[in-house]
Amino acid sequence: MPLAMTPPANLTSGPATPKTAHPDVLKWVEEITQLCQPDQIHWCDGSEAEKESLTQQAVDAGILIKLNQEKLPGCYYHRSNPNDVARVEECTFICTRTPDAAGPTNHWMAPAAMYEKLYALCKGAMKGRTMYVVPYLMGPPGSPLTKIGVEITDSIYVVLSMRIMTRMGQIAWDQLGTEGKYTKGLHSMLDINPERRFIAHFPQDNTIISVGSNYGGNVLLGKKCLALRLGSYLGRIEGWMAEHMLILGVESPTGEKTYVAAAFPSACGKTNFAMLIPPKEFDGWKITTVGDDIAWMRPGPDGRLYAINPEAGYFGVVPGTNFTSNPNAMISMSKDTIYTNVALTPDLDVWWEGKDGDPPAECLDWKGNPWTPASKEKAAHPNSRFAAPMINNPALAPEANDPHGVPISGIIFGGRRATTLPLVFQAFNWIHGVYIGATMGSEMTAAAAGTVGQVRRDPMAMLPFCGYNMGDYFRHWLRMRKLLKRPPKVFHVNWFRKGEDGKFLWPGYGENMRVLKWIIDRCRGRVPAYETPVGWMPEPVDIDMVGLPEKDVTNLGEALSLNLEEWKREVLLQDELFFRLYSDLPKELIFQRELLISRL
Ligand code: OXD
Ligand code: MN
C-alpha cells in the first residue's frame, strides 16, 4: 500500500523510512517533525540489531555505561540528572475539558492552554537530536484488553527502556495496521529543567505530552501515563478497570491455581509480593508473577473478573532488594537490565543499600561522586531503579502472555502503616471493599517527590494515577459489581505495623505467604473468620505460623489486634479525603462510613 505521506526529503534512508503506512501516524509524525525540528528520525522496529546499535550509541554518548559483562551480562548503567529522580505530581496534569472532569485530586489545565504552552516549549527542541518513533503494545498480542501506543521521544534511554518494559517494535506496527487506534505520546527532555517539566494527559484526544524529564515514571509513557491515567479514563468508558495492582498466581501442592491482584502504593512492596518465594514449611506451594505494577481487568464470559499485565518488564525500586527480600528480583536484574541511579563500583558492578554482602570499600554514588562506607549520604538514590525484562523472572507465570488474562479471586489493598491497620482483614462485601480501598492510607515513599513518611490517603493506590475525577472512579468501581456474577473477595493487609519498641510486628517478605494462604482459603470458602467492626478477621490460630521464631508467634496477636480508639481517629483522618471529594462522592461510600462509625 502506498504511503499516505512522504517523509521530508532529507529523512528517507535507513531507519528514517517509516515502518508504518498508518495515515494518521504519518501525519502526526510529520507535524511533530515540523515542530521539534530533529536532525534525524529513527522509526523503531524493536529488532536485536536495533538494540545493539542504539546501545552502542548510548554508550558512546555517555548516556549508558557498560557494566561488568562477566558479572552482569547485557546490563548497563544510567545516571539521571539529580533534579530528576522521581515522579513529580505537581507537574502532572489531566487536561479534560472541565476541571470537574479531572476532579479535585488532579492538577488541571484546559487542553488548548496546555497544548499551546507545551508546543511553545517543544518548538525546535530536537534540533541537533534524533527523534525516535517508538511503537509499543500494552498487553499480550491479540488480547481484547491490549492497547497500542506510539511514543515520539528524543531520549535513547527511553527507547531502550521501552524495549524492556513493553512489547516494542514491529509487533506493534503489525497490530496497528493502517486503521488501528493508538495513543499518541510525545516526549522531549528539553533541558531537564524542573521549571519546564510537565506530564500532561489529554484523555479526550488519547494523547500524552511529557517534557523536561527523563525519569522513567514521567517518560516511559506506556506505564503510568497510558496504562493508568489514560487507561483508567478509557476503562470507565469501555467497561473495564486499569489499576495500580500486581497480579500473582498461587499454586497449591495439588496443582490448584488461584489468582489475586493487589494494590499497594509505590515502593510499598508490590514487586516483592508479586515474586514471593514461600517459606520452606510451605512445601509444594508456588507463587508465579503475572505482573508487578499494573493490572487491566474486565469481566469475562463466566462473570468473573479477568486480568492482564499490560507490561513486559519490571521497573522496580532497587534499594533493599537482596537474596533474602526478593531472590527472584535479584535474578531478574542479573542480565539485560538497565540500572538507574544505583552506585557504581570500580570493577563496574552495581551496589545499593541493602544489597547482600559488605558495602564496597569505595565506589561512585548515584551522582558520580566518590563514596565510602564512612560517607553520610546514601550511595544509591532511595528511588534508584532497575528495568528488567519479565522473561528474566524465574517465577514468571506463563499466563503473563495469555491474551485472555487470569481470573481474579481476591483483590488485596494495603498500605505502609505503623499503627491501627491490622495484618489482614476481609471486607464484608464488594461495596465495603470499595470503601476500604477508597479510604486506604499510606506513609509516603521516595517514589514521588514529597514528604517521605507522612500518611496520606491514597485510594486504591491510584491517587497519583487516576485519569479523571476520583468520585467518578469510585462510582465506576461500584458499577463494575453489576457486571460481575462472581466478584473477587476484597481484603486489606498491612505488613508494616510496629510494636511499642518501634520494630515491625510481622516478618514480611516470603512469610507473607502465610497471610496469603488465609486469603486464598477465604476466597475458596474453606477457613473461618470472625466478624469485627472493620471486617472479617482471622484468629491467630488461623494463620499457619509453623517454623517461625517464637517472637513472631507472640507478635501475631498484636499484629492482628484492633484498637477501637485508634480506629475512631482513623475515620476522622479518612475525612480529609472525603471532604475534598465530598460533592463527587457516591452515596454508598458515605453510608459505608456511617455504618463503620456505628459499628465502632
Ligand atoms: C512506579 C511507581 O514506578 O508507582 O511503579 O512510582
Ligand atoms: Mn507503581
Side-chain angles (χ1 to χ4, degrees), residues 144-220:
L145 276 165
T146 291
K147 301 272 181 210
I148 305 166
V150 179
E151 175 166 357
I152 295 179
T153 177
D154 55 9
S155 164
I156 204 166
Y157 169 75
V158 166
V159 181
L160 291 167
S161 303
M162 285 295 282
R163 193 179 190 283
I164 295 174
M165 295 304 299
T166 70
R167 292 157 174 96
M168 185 276 260
Q170 196 55 45
I171 191 171
W173 291 133
D174 291 347
Q175 188 151 334
L176 182 68
T178 50
E179 283 169 15
K181 275 203 199 149
Y182 69 103
T183 299
K184 291 185 169 94
L186 168 60
H187 166 243
S188 175
M189 298 180 282
L190 305 181
D191 54 352
I192 319 255
N193 181 339
E195 303 287 312
R196 285 188 281 280
R197 185 166 295 156
F198 294 93
I199 300 100
H201 305 73
F202 302 88
Q204 70 277 21
D205 301 335
N206 200 4
T207 294
I208 307 151
I209 303 181
S210 168
V211 296
S213 171
N214 200 32
Y215 168 74
N218 299 328
V219 300
L220 306 180

Side-chain angles (χ1 to χ4, degrees), residues 87 215 223-224 244 266 293 315 385 447 465:
R87 285 183 291 98
Y215 168 74
K223 191 173 178 66
K224 301 302 182 181
H244 192 201
S266 306
D293 195 43
F315 183 64
R385 297 275 175 154
F465 306 121

Side-chain angles (χ1 to χ4, degrees), residues 24-41:
D24 189 67
V25 173
L26 295 173
K27 180 163 161 278
W28 172 57
V29 170
E30 171 62 13
E31 270 166 30
I32 300 302
T33 306
Q34 298 302 333
L35 175 71
C36 299
Q37 297 166 34
D39 280 14
Q40 297 168 68
I41 302 182

Side-chain angles (χ1 to χ4, degrees), residues 86-87 89 215-217 223-224 228 244 264-267 270-271 292-294 311 315-317 383 385 445-448 461 464-465:
R87 285 183 291 98
E89 289 167 19
Y215 168 74
K223 191 173 178 66
K224 301 302 182 181
L228 290 178
H244 192 201
F264 309 154
S266 306
K270 279 198 300 299
T271 305
D292 80 326
D293 195 43
I294 296 169
E311 299 190 279
F315 183 64
V317 176
N383 192 38
R385 297 275 175 154
T445 67
F465 306 121

Side-chain angles (χ1 to χ4, degrees), residues 417 419-421 435 439 455 457 497 534 562-576 593 596-597 600:
R417 296 296 303 272
T419 65
T420 319
L421 275 291
Y435 175 80
T439 53
V455 173
R457 294 297 128 190
R497 196 172 187 183
V534 305
L562 285 184
N563 177 326
L564 295 193
E565 289 314 307
E566 280 182 356
W567 268 92
K568 286 178 195 159
R569 278 199 295 278
E570 179 69 15
V571 178
L572 293 178
L573 288 173
Q574 293 172 356
D575 283 344
E576 170 224 327
R593 179 183 176 280
L596 173 61
I597 291 172
L600 288 169

Side-chain angles (χ1 to χ4, degrees), residues 24 78 94 127 189 238 398 414-415 467 482 484:
D24 189 67
H78 174 74
I94 302 295
K127 275 189 189 147
M189 298 180 282
E238 297 169 2
K482 304 202 174 89
L484 296 168

